[in-house]
Amino acid sequence: MNQLKSLFFTERKKALLASAAVCAFAFGPEAMAGTGGTEFDDIYTLLVGWTQGTLGKIIALGMFMVGLSAGIVNQSIVSVVIGIGGALALYYGPTVINGVVAALI
């Protein structure tokens, strides 16, 4: 019985290694998927320009003002914090995303 278990686990290990090798071979080219895409550089530059330019500052200021007025109406600081958080995410989001993606590639 022990020999049968040993044989079963040995065959199982071989099957596991074979499936891992097949997966590595099949998904190997996917590792280079994030290195191209230069055709989208113009759109990326346009969107970053919008969010960190005058339009982004106007939207961020609007978020802050809406949060501030909602905070005054509700008598709660939570709305102000949400407005500030949204404004910060809008303005600094592209920089953070670029830093994360550039660090991973």
Side-chain angles (χ1 to χ4, degrees), residues 1-11:
M1 184 74 173
N2 277 341
Q3 289 178 344
L4 185 60
K5 280 186 178 180
S6 176
L7 181 64
F8 175 73
F9 286 120
T10 304
E11 293 300 320

Side-chain angles (χ1 to χ4, degrees), residues 33-48:
T35 58
T38 57
E39 59 272 4
F40 297 110
D41 284 345
D42 295 336
I43 296 170
Y44 177 77
T45 304
L46 177 70
L47 291 175
V48 169

Side-chain angles (χ1 to χ4, degrees), residues 67-90:
L68 184 63
S69 60
I72 290 171
V73 169
N74 294 332
Q75 296 181 356
S76 172
I77 193 80
V78 175
S79 300
V80 178
V81 172
I82 291 173
I84 291 172
L88 289 173
L90 176 71

Side-chain angles (χ1 to χ4, degrees), residues 44-45 47-53 87-104:
Y44 177 77
T45 304
L47 291 175
V48 169
W50 282 351
T51 58
Q52 292 183 341
L88 289 173
L90 176 71
Y91 188 78
Y92 291 110
T95 305
V96 171
I97 291 170
N98 191 28
V100 169
V101 172
L104 292 178

